[in-house]
Amino acid sequence: MSKSDYYFTSESVSEGHPDKLCDRVSDAIVDTYLAADPYSRVAVETLATTNRIVLAGEVRCAGNVSKSDLVEVARHCVKDIGYEQEGFHWKNAEVEVYVHSQSGDIAMGVDAAGEKDEGAGDQGIMFGYAVNETEELMPAPIHYAHAILRSLAEARHSGSAPLLGPDSKSQVTLQYVNGKPVRASSIVVSTQHDISIDQAEVREIVRPHVVNCLPEGWMCDEAQFYVNPTGRFVVGGPDGDCGLTGRKIIVDTYGGAAPHGGGAFSGKDPTKVDRSAAYAARYLAKNVVAAGLADRCLIQLSYAIGVAKPLSIYIDTHGTGRVDEDRLGNVLMEIMNLSPRGIRTHLGLNKPIYARTAAYGHFGRAPEPDGGFSWERIDLVDQLRSAFS
């Protein structure tokens, strides 16, 4: 039996965190290739350190994307995030490109041919999760950890917080009573700042962003409100710590409240089930909870490289389900084609919609008119309710 009274912690990192900057560049490259050819295959990693960015990976594209295009994409991302510092500057950083053609062996296993449907781009297990703790049906700790950093970033970009830098992290610990979050027991925020201000000044800049993001009365005690605990955070970003694509997968998903299959999302086109099947699993889990069939829903999908259909689907409603889980699995498989091609078609994933996912989570975001965050729609609710009426 699960505990009902406990504390749970999740963390987030900002768009200027070294790893998130690398995710942003890799996803902007995915968008560049998909804009040139919606059926592009892309797997590109980014590394960033002091005034140096390295791009490496494999691609296949019927359009024309040059090495210089990739260099400009990387520079634009760095500029948009706001790095104009001596140790890391969008204009001065050296950008190296080591991107080559996709392996023919992989292409042969994945491509559709004759009677063979398009197969998964790799083996793997993917998880989706939803819970009715927030309006977005996300776990509350990661939801508020993201919200604090988004608020700080918006203030920095608007000019209302000019003394803050792009690199920041948050950590939110919530107290749960009878299985529901009731308050924050501690908040940690570390943010890069101008050398002209001290820790106390940074604390007061950060404070309203935390208070305004939490529900009324949820703010932690003053002694448990930590801002820049080391006292100083002037050197940050890739100049302070090397960044790499795909190192913040728990930040990207559910903050540790649900399992993660292990594969990162950023830098991968939607034929890679690491990305598309994780989106599909979230989409299905969210619709299950939105339909009132459970208060919590965890879904696991598994795939083999070159094989179209998932090898398994596992559902766990953690004792909150109002319908039979086995039947629920069958209904979900009937409602949605979970092959790589079926997922991409249903969710409209062959579009340049990925750079925006790179920071503040891939889940719990609002669906956008151009197809961004389509996996956050709750358009299966009526079908699910009808199936179990």
Side-chain angles (χ1 to χ4, degrees), residues 154-214:
E154 288 166 3
R156 181 173 58 83
H157 283 298
S158 72
S160 63
L163 298 178
L164 298 186
D167 191 0
S168 59
K169 303 178 76 172
S170 65
Q171 185 170 287
V172 174
T173 301
L174 297 185
Q175 180 183 5
Y176 283 71
V177 177
N178 293 325
K180 298 293 184 180
V182 297
R183 62 180 291 271
S185 63
S186 68
I187 303 286
V188 183
V189 178
S190 296
T191 180
Q192 189 180 14
H193 60 88
D194 190 83
I195 196 171
S196 66
I197 57 175
D198 61 20
Q199 182 186 26
E201 292 172 288
V202 175
R203 184 185 186 90
E204 295 314 308
I205 293 173
V206 168
R207 183 189 301 277
H209 296 277
V210 176
V211 173
N212 292 338
C213 286
L214 294 173

Side-chain angles (χ1 to χ4, degrees), residues 26-97:
S26 292
D27 275 338
I29 289 172
V30 171
D31 285 352
T32 299
Y33 278 103
L34 290 177
D37 171 13
Y39 301 100
S40 293
R41 302 285 172 79
V42 187
V44 172
E45 315 292 340
T46 302
L47 177 148
T49 186
T50 303
N51 272 330
R52 184 179 298 271
I53 300 169
V54 180
L55 310 177
E58 305 80 44
V59 299
R60 188 176 75 188
C61 178
N64 183 25
V65 179
S66 68
K67 178 179 177 180
S68 62
D69 291 334
L70 300 184
V71 171
E72 288 307 306
V73 167
R75 293 196 190 283
H76 174 77
C77 290
V78 176
K79 182 179 182 180
D80 190 58
I81 289 170
Y83 276 110
E84 295 186 346
Q85 302 169 3
E86 182 179 354
F88 197 72
H89 196 293
W90 65 270
K91 185 184 293 184
N92 302 331
E94 182 176 349
V95 183
E96 302 176 43
V97 180

Side-chain angles (χ1 to χ4, degrees), residues 246-372:
R247 287 203 300 201
K248 289 293 178 285
I249 57 177
I250 302 304
V251 170
D252 286 341
T253 54
Y254 308 103
H260 190 291
F265 303 155
S266 292
K268 298 175 181 177
D269 74 81
T271 67
K272 278 68 171 178
V273 284
D274 275 344
R275 177 166 229 158
S276 58
Y279 290 175
R282 160 64 179 174
Y283 173 63
L284 294 177
K286 184 176 183 180
N287 274 271
V288 167
V289 175
L293 303 185
D295 295 334
R296 299 168 62 189
C297 183
L298 174 71
I299 295 179
Q300 183 205 58
L301 302 173
S302 70
Y303 291 84
I305 187 169
V307 178
K309 296 292 185 180
L311 304 184
S312 66
I313 179 170
Y314 165 82
I315 297 176
D316 184 359
T317 57
H318 300 274
T320 70
R322 300 173 183 91
V323 298
D324 179 74
E325 290 176 354
D326 290 337
R327 184 170 175 228
L328 178 59
N330 293 331
V331 168
L332 293 176
M333 293 281 278
E334 292 172 3
I335 287 176
M336 185 175 182
N337 179 351
L338 291 172
S339 69
R341 188 202 302 270
I343 293 170
R344 293 203 319 278
T345 300
H346 190 110
L347 297 178
L349 298 181
N350 285 101
K351 300 175 182 177
I353 55 174
Y354 297 105
R356 69 194 75 170
T357 69
Y360 314 117
H362 292 243
F363 307 127
R365 311 281 287 273
E368 298 179 345
D370 67 350

Side-chain angles (χ1 to χ4, degrees), residues 98-140:
Y98 303 97
V99 176
H100 58 83
S101 297
Q102 182 189 47
S103 160
D105 291 345
I106 293 177
M108 179 176 61
V110 176
D111 290 347
E115 298 297 317
K116 175 183 174 295
D117 193 7
E118 177 186 302
D122 201 353
Q123 71 174 47
I125 56 175
M126 297 83 207
F127 289 93
Y129 183 67
V131 60
N132 61 3
E133 293 178 3
T134 62
E135 289 184 6
E136 295 78 7
L137 303 184
M138 285 289 287

